[in-house]
Amino acid sequence: MRLGLQIPWFTYPEGPAALGPTLRRIAREAEQAGVSSIFVMDHFFQISMMGPPEQDMLEGYTTLSHLAAVTERVRLGTLVTGVTYRHPGLLVKTVTTLDVLSGGRAWLGIGAAWNEEEHRGLGVTFPSTSERFERLEETLRIAKQMWAGDESAYEGGHYRLERPLNSPQALSKPHPPIMVGGSGEKKTLRLVAQYADACNLFSAGPDSIRHKLEVLRGHCADVGRDYDEITRTTLGHVNLSVDGSDGQSVQEATEQLAGLAELGIDEAIVNMPNVSQEGVFEQLAQVVAGVEPLVPAGR
């Protein structure tokens, strides 16, 4: 089982002037600890589940490019890009650039978008739910076409690309892995079955995860897709106690993640409230060592 890191907070005690050095240290220490991936959110305001909108928030792909320059092994992606934020042709070009410059380490994380507040705040059109899912499916088709090297014109209901040229092509083969984020049973998980290499589910308890995976299995059967081709990931958090005064022990965090492996999860992506604290990655390395030998159920 693999362990990934999501970084959703950029408000650190040292302030914005230290953001660059702090993030570089976090990325290097996370890689040294053995995490398999580093993800950032693709938001422009802080989201309500994490804090007030005024909290510091960095643009996702600029941040990933910065982290690519100071790491060598970890995969890099957004968890996840809202389909409304970027034209699909430009999004594919952006992810391709990240993949090439990082040596083939990019993911395309994508979803239907939901944060209406930042759309309205920055003047980005926020279509209806049904239209956002239509745009998401078209974007997935465009990504597949561009990464296949097919330059024929694309004519869809929302997008028209006369020549979807993508040069240079991505280094990842056959293309950067596509992760569709979200747990919607009728639309999101169907799109995973049809187009994606990975799903991402919230760690909302074993019963919920088990049910969502069964729904995904059903969609795979409906579209003729091998369920076992899909990498199953979750998003949750661990709160490791560096000094033993509060938070989780290494054993408690390891047991928490082992429960996900028992459900068939291949990669648990976690965020940590004290991610910038000195010494936290020494403990995370022990957690990585504890979960790495675990074989997800069904694998």
Side-chain angles (χ1 to χ4, degrees):
M1 183 186 186
R2 298 182 299 276
L3 186 64
L5 175 69
Q6 184 210 36
I7 307 173
W9 296 284
F10 302 104
T11 301
Y12 304 136
E14 300 84 0
L19 253 176
T22 301
L23 276 179
R24 292 193 292 273
R25 176 179 61 79
I26 289 170
R28 292 189 186 106
E29 292 184 359
E31 185 169 67
Q32 291 168 3
V35 303
S36 61
S37 57
I38 297 177
F39 290 91
V40 297
M41 299 195 300
D42 192 20
H43 285 292
F44 304 96
F45 296 174
Q46 180 58 278
I47 62 175
S48 59
M49 296 82 82
M50 298 294 178
E54 296 81 11
Q55 280 189 343
D56 300 306
M57 180 53 60
L58 300 178
E59 192 281 320
Y61 288 100
T62 309
T63 304
L64 292 173
S65 296
H66 187 75
L67 299 184
V70 299
T71 56
E72 297 180 354
R73 177 187 54 80
V74 290
R75 303 300 298 260
L76 300 162
T78 60
L79 195 61
V80 291
T81 284
V83 71
T84 50
Y85 294 143
R86 297 167 181 82
H87 188 282
L90 301 184
L91 175 61
V92 173
K93 184 68 176 179
T94 299
V95 176
T96 300
T97 300
L98 176 63
D99 193 69
V100 170
L101 295 183
S102 67
R105 295 189 282 134
W107 282 74
L108 169 58
I110 193 163
W114 61 270
N115 192 342
E116 186 173 1
E117 180 183 16
E118 65 186 358
H119 283 77
R120 295 191 180 280
L122 297 179
V124 179
T125 300
F126 188 70
S128 65
T129 300
S130 60
E131 181 177 327
R132 297 200 310 276
F133 275 97
E134 290 169 4
R135 289 178 179 271
L136 176 56
E137 185 160 13
E138 285 196 36
T139 297
L140 292 166
R141 290 174 177 168
I142 290 166
K144 292 272 194 174
Q145 177 177 332
M146 290 181 67
W147 279 327
D150 181 356
E151 298 177 25
S152 58
Y154 176 86
E155 296 279 353
H158 300 284
Y159 303 110
R160 179 175 183 271
L161 287 71
E162 290 188 5
R163 186 191 179 195
L165 171 66
N166 192 37
S167 180
Q169 272 291 359
L171 301 183
S172 296
K173 299 302 178 188
H175 52 71
I178 298 171
M179 174 193 288
V180 173
S183 302
E185 297 180 13
K186 293 182 179 180
K187 295 183 178 180
T188 302
L189 294 179
R190 177 184 63 80
L191 292 176
V192 171
Q194 285 187 273
Y195 299 101
D197 303 291
C199 67
N200 183 258
L201 306 172
F202 290 115
S203 291
D207 290 342
S208 174
I209 293 172
R210 189 179 295 110
H211 172 68
K212 299 297 182 181
L213 292 178
E214 284 304 311
V215 171
L216 176 59
R217 188 186 293 273
H219 284 304
C220 287
D222 291 341
V223 302
R225 176 82 182 277
D226 183 355
Y227 170 77
D228 289 325
E229 290 180 357
I230 297 171
T231 299
R232 281 96 70 175
T233 78
T234 56
L235 175 61
H237 70 275
V238 297
N239 185 20
L240 292 169
S241 172
V242 175
D243 58 11
S245 62
D246 57 9
Q248 295 171 290
S249 68
V250 167
Q251 181 178 349
E252 288 170 335
T254 303
E255 291 174 352
Q256 169 189 324
L257 299 171
L260 296 175
E262 292 175 359
L263 295 170
I265 298 302
D266 299 299
E267 181 164 355
I269 303 166
V270 299
N271 53 58
M272 300 189 296
N274 57 347
V275 68
S276 65
Q277 186 176 358
E278 298 283 352
V280 70
F281 285 105
E282 295 175 11
Q283 293 198 322
L284 190 66
Q286 298 177 53
V287 177
V288 171
V291 302
E292 194 171 35
L294 301 176
V295 178
R299 293 301 193 191

